[in-house]
Amino acid sequence: MSAMKIVAMGFCVYLCPPLFLLLARRWAPDQYVGDNAEQHELTARTLRRRFWKGVALTASTIGAVLVVQRWGFDGLNLSSEDWLRVAAVFIVLSATLGRAGWSIQSWKGNNVVERIDRSMYLVTQLGAAALLVFVLTL
């Protein structure tokens, strides 16, 4: 299966689970048959749950820091570049905390959901690095 299909399925696993299941059955039919399908759907749910927990934890932590900075110190005066840095930190932390890792590991280590986990982590880390380099060179 191509890397583009994995990335497309990665976005679907987080944002549109029914579409993910449809694409998984079409693009990886050998893994989505019988009892295997239930196991892969469970690992996809675990991946999705971990990701959204990471997003919530990251958003609440960054939000708390910004609130403390706003009311605890001399105010919050962030430029557009600063907001881009905050966005890059948010992306990096969400991706790192949202990884499922060993909780979805199979014996072979190469099922669709595991490949999605690794690929989406790579995409988010590269995207955040590009955003940080862009902001730092402004």
Side-chain angles (χ1 to χ4, degrees), residues 106-124:
S106 68
W107 284 101
K108 292 182 181 179
N110 204 24
N111 69 35
V112 172
V113 178
E114 291 168 327
R115 290 179 62 196
I116 288 171
D117 188 34
R118 289 189 301 268
S119 297
M120 295 308 287
Y121 180 74
L122 178 69
V123 166
T124 54

Side-chain angles (χ1 to χ4, degrees), residues 19-86:
L19 181 58
F20 164 72
L21 292 174
L22 178 76
L23 292 176
R25 288 185 183 115
R26 179 170 293 152
W27 291 342
D30 56 324
Q31 295 184 23
Y32 280 84
V33 187
D35 292 337
N36 257 354
E38 290 178 22
Q39 181 60 34
H40 288 300
E41 288 174 26
L42 177 65
T43 58
R45 262 194 312 273
T46 301
L47 182 64
R48 186 171 36 260
R49 187 174 48 248
R50 292 284 302 264
F51 173 75
W52 288 113
K53 275 182 167 177
V55 167
L57 182 61
T58 302
S60 61
T61 302
I62 290 174
V65 167
L66 293 175
V67 165
V68 166
Q69 184 180 3
R70 168 71 172 102
W71 283 293
F73 297 97
D74 285 335
L76 183 66
N77 298 322
L78 295 177
S79 67
S80 58
E81 290 88 8
D82 294 329
W83 283 110
L84 287 173
R85 288 184 190 106
V86 169

